[in-house]
Amino acid sequence: MISSARARNASLQQMTQAALKGDVVPSGLEPGPLDQRSKELRKQCVRCLLGGSRGHVGSTFSLIEILRVLYDDVLKYDPANPSWEGRDRFILSKGHGCIALYVLLAEKGFFPDAELDRFCHPDGILGGHPDHVKVPGIEASTGSLGHGLSIGIGRALAGRVRRADWRVFVTLGDGECNEGSIWEGALAAGNHGLENLTVIVDNNKRQSYGSTDEVLDLEPFADKWRAFGFGVHEVDGHDTDALRDAFARLPYEKDRPSTLICHTVKGKGIPEAEGNNKWHHLRAIDEAKAQAMIDAIEAY
Amino acid sequence: MRKTCIDMVHELAKHDDRVVFVGSDLGVGTLDEMRWELPDRFFMEGVSEANMIGMCAGLATEGHIVYTNTIATFIARRAYEQVCLDVGHADLPVRFICNGGGLVYAPLGPTHEAIDDFALMRAIPNMTIFAAADAEEMREFMPQSLDWPHPIYIRLAKGHDPIVTKELPPFEIGKARPLIEGSDALIITTGITLRVARPALDELRAEGLDVGLLHMPTVKPLDTDAILSRASNSRAVVVVEEHSVIGGLGSAVASLLLEELASPPSFRMIGIPDQFPDIYGSQNDQLSYFGITSERVATEVRSLLRRAAA
């Protein structure tokens, strides 16, 4: 026991040193190109980061293609009437990735685009975690991890009670799946056979301290979801065609909730940020840093 | 009281299709009739309080009035963050029906004794806290709970509690219920301490002391007018509650008196001292052990009045 604990500590120590040096840890995905739309969305994220001079970069950039496909091609919604009964409910349970969602919601017209520049301002509506009381289009206030799935389950059950055809989508981080409440929710969703519920995992393989396999190993991850009663599909979370196809095939199994595991790269789109834990959350972002980020995105 | 409360959920659900019930692995047979009659709106989840409360928040967001039930400590302590953020911050109509308020689960020890629930729930903005004295008060409360626009923490007593609220004016959420007015001293109660304090009130009045009693089934929002209008004319105020002396009704009244009155009356809190219960026995055994008794109420009122006169 003692030797295995020592080995683990040594491994964590190496990981910490690598993370502190800013070493890039490979994600296992081939580095893929980004089309101009994906680049533009990331540049809008940089507006937010500069507006607040801070923000979670890594988990925002791993989410872009997932949210882009959802809001371009999958979800039903009406920006002029955010509480339209017939809409699909989208909950970003990994609330720290909210900048990506703000950019999509602003683009679709849920609130004025100028709000992006007021990220984390005292008089702005966009905070470092999303607040549904303040922001049109945000379905649940998240930020404390492990809450969104259960809220989504309640909403999916309400949809079932009223025999509605709208669906519920909940996006989790893989690190977030350390939370016990996620697995309480997974048990319940499986038990209720919630076919109208889809869990999307932004599986970027990294959490705040380091890589998920070393901090708290989740593997075999897809098998865990299957064991809890979900139909499961895996996809490259930056491949928009593959994402569209994966969403079109929902539900993956009849009378079961679905999980789409999206393999992503934390910080995707800025080479220095990719797999670099120093970029989990950045502070003191000034004009020069923001410009360097935009240049890196454009050159990607 | 629990049966009255739970049975009334079914009654409310029959007449209002917004009402749903969510339980957490409760005793067999709980709300069976509702389960058969309204299966779409009856949910019995497992021993998963965090998920259960998140689920309640989701149901309430979609327009349901959600009545959820489990043991008080598992709501107030274990799932505090879900109660605070998913329900409190969102200000949703979830009604937490909490078994075993205070020292009810005395034989089961500190894991099950809800001695800090008022303190925890008071610290959540938007939360309403209701502690019934008896089944009658619960019967008055439940229909009013339907359209109350905020979450409610409902503290249940042991069950088969004696009916002690018949002489009180009608119940209204957020309003104190004066039993009798008095100009010498004021006793304030909540939940079952109405019955604890009642003999002391009779005894003190028989001694010629003009003592009033204000029963406060709603701990939050605090009926400040009811307290201040009486306390400002009293020389002594004693708050008696089945709760820690930290953060409960006594703390709320103490802050109010100190902040609002130029010359606050002499004041005493009777409750559980800052410790975990360290004996077993019955609820009554522990009430005696911690001095939450009629004798203590009478003694404290006399002592405060002597001090005020000195």
Side-chain angles (χ1 to χ4, degrees), chain B residues 6 35 39 52 87 134 138 141 166 168 217 226 243 258 278 280 288 297:
Chain B
I6 298 286
R35 182 182 172 198
M52 177 182 79
V87 179
D134 58 23
M138 183 61 75
F141 161 79
K166 284 216 161 131
L168 297 175
H243 186 274
L258 208 54
D278 55 353
Y280 296 107
S288 299
V297 174

Side-chain angles (χ1 to χ4, degrees), chain B residues 79-159:
Chain B
Y80 188 74
E81 200 181 67
Q82 277 75 15
V83 175
C84 180
L85 296 178
D86 301 353
V87 179
H89 177 252
D91 200 7
L92 293 169
V94 177
R95 285 72 177 96
F96 301 100
I97 302 169
C98 299
N99 297 359
L103 301 167
V104 165
Y105 288 127
L108 304 183
T111 56
H112 283 57
E113 289 169 288
I115 59 172
D116 46 12
D117 52 344
F118 290 165
L120 291 164
M121 292 299 122
R122 278 185 65 221
I124 297 177
N126 301 323
M127 186 61 70
T128 293
I129 303 171
F130 168 70
D134 58 23
E136 211 42 57
E137 197 164 52
M138 183 61 75
R139 201 182 315 281
E140 289 189 80
F141 161 79
M142 284 298 281
Q144 294 182 33
S145 72
L146 193 64
D147 286 316
W148 183 253
H150 307 291
I152 311 176
Y153 179 87
I154 303 167
R155 188 203 247 212
L156 298 181
K158 189 173 182 182

Side-chain angles (χ1 to χ4, degrees), chain A residues 89 144 147 150 162 192, chain B residues 45 48 51 55 62 81 86:
Chain A
R89 278 66 167 162
S144 178
H147 287 240
S150 300
R162 68 184 72 156
H192 286 290
Chain B
E45 300 305 300
S48 311
N51 176 64
M55 220 180 97
E62 294 294 345
E81 200 181 67
D86 301 353

